[in-house]
Amino acid sequence: MSVPRPFRYRRVLPAVLLALLVPLACSSDSSTTATASSAPASSSGSKASGPVTVFAAASLTESLNDAQTQLKTQQPDLSVTYNFAGSGALVTQIQQGAPADVIATADTDSMKKLTDANMVEAPVTFAKNKLEILVQPGNPKHITGLSDLGRSDIIFVTEDDTVPAGKYSAQALSAAGVTVNPVSKEPDVKSAVAKVTSGEADATIVYVTDVIAAGSKGEGVVIPDDQNVMATYPIAIVKTTNNHAGAQAFVDNIVHGSGQDALHARGFQPA
């Protein structure tokens, strides 16, 4: 006996509608996902060209040089030139009109001077760092902590008060209740490192990344967290840049791209 038509349509019609609607829904979801994922890819994958001058804190020397090697394969037409120095000096140079496209400092206070003067776009934090005591290989003076830096037999150097590392070092020594008599205050961390690795000084306080960069020429003494200071590194595009696209490509690489791998490999902590 044949099945009545009304009953057959009640069973078949919903199935047909379902078959038509499911592909449409899937197509809509797929399109939305592709758009969301392709937007960042398109931004990070866009090609930039021309010269870009980057003013960067001295402690970023090794990591940014490493990052440039990878950046060349991604942005072959981008020509990056670095100016490494103490953050305070870099800010002063930009305030005095030095041509720069990007600036990366080792503290937020230095960057704030430029944001307050409306000289840079909104900064982005891209890395963090901790302090460590750098001593000569083998630690001949048997320095075990910040308290030893106040000993009369220790030749201690630090960074200038205008340098973030100098400010951080002073904070760490204050937290430990230690009074020191530095024989010199260096213009940046690399100069402080050089004093120890050359044998001119017994110890200094620099960043963990600087101790790593010193390699066999120096040795690190850990500063406990309750006496340590975490350094924050912001990066920003200088508003007077003549190559905004190139500056943006560089910043994107450091904040979100392969530049992060270079930073982590050198001992920086993620933002």
Side-chain angles (χ1 to χ4, degrees):
M1 183 177 69
S2 61
V3 178
R5 285 183 180 275
F7 181 79
R8 179 174 296 179
Y9 283 134
R10 283 197 298 270
R11 297 292 300 271
V12 174
L13 186 56
V16 171
L17 288 173
L18 184 62
L20 291 172
L21 291 174
V22 168
L24 288 174
C26 293
S27 173
S28 176
D29 290 345
S30 174
S31 174
T32 301
T33 302
T35 300
S37 62
S38 64
S42 174
S43 175
S44 61
S46 60
K47 295 299 181 182
S49 61
V52 172
T53 300
V54 178
F55 282 30
S59 53
L60 292 165
T61 301
E62 292 79 15
S63 56
L64 290 194
N65 280 327
D66 292 346
Q68 186 174 10
T69 301
Q70 182 64 26
L71 184 60
K72 283 183 179 296
T73 65
Q74 301 167 358
Q75 302 281 3
D77 297 324
L78 201 62
S79 177
V80 179
T81 300
Y82 291 126
N83 172 27
F84 294 110
S87 297
L90 296 175
V91 168
T92 299
Q93 290 171 26
I94 290 177
Q95 290 173 329
Q96 293 176 348
D101 301 294
V102 176
I103 180 169
T105 61
D107 67 334
T108 55
D109 288 345
S110 295
M111 185 67 77
K112 189 175 185 299
K113 293 178 181 179
L114 296 178
T115 56
D116 287 349
N118 198 31
M119 300 184 75
V120 296
E121 297 181 5
V124 179
T125 298
F126 65 95
K128 292 190 175 182
N129 211 346
K130 279 189 174 184
L131 300 177
E132 192 166 16
I133 301 170
L134 177 69
V135 299
Q136 294 178 15
N139 195 2
K141 291 298 182 74
H142 306 291
I143 295 170
T144 60
L146 293 175
S147 60
D148 289 323
L149 300 181
R151 286 164 31 194
S152 60
D153 64 318
I154 299 297
I155 300 175
F156 176 71
V157 298
T158 187
E159 298 83 9
D160 189 75
D161 298 336
T162 61
V163 180
K167 296 177 183 178
Y168 295 144
S169 297
Q171 291 175 29
L173 290 166
S174 177
V178 178
T179 300
V180 295
N181 295 297
V183 296
S184 69
K185 291 189 175 183
E186 300 300 314
D188 55 56
V189 289
K190 294 306 180 186
S191 298
V193 168
K195 289 288 186 179
V196 176
T197 57
S198 66
E200 296 180 56
D202 298 316
T204 186
I205 300 175
V206 290
Y207 300 112
V208 169
T209 52
D210 294 303
V211 175
I212 294 174
S216 61
K217 295 181 179 180
E219 187 172 316
V221 176
V222 175
I223 299 174
D225 287 342
D226 61 347
Q227 299 174 351
N228 215 317
V229 179
M230 182 70 77
T232 299
Y233 287 68
I235 189 170
I237 296 175
V238 181
K239 287 190 174 182
T240 55
T241 177
N242 291 319
N243 186 4
H244 192 278
Q248 188 66 63
F250 180 86
V251 170
D252 288 345
N253 177 266
I254 298 302
V255 176
H256 304 295
S258 59
Q260 282 290 302
D261 295 331
L263 287 161
H264 298 165
R266 288 289 183 173
F268 283 92
Q269 297 185 26

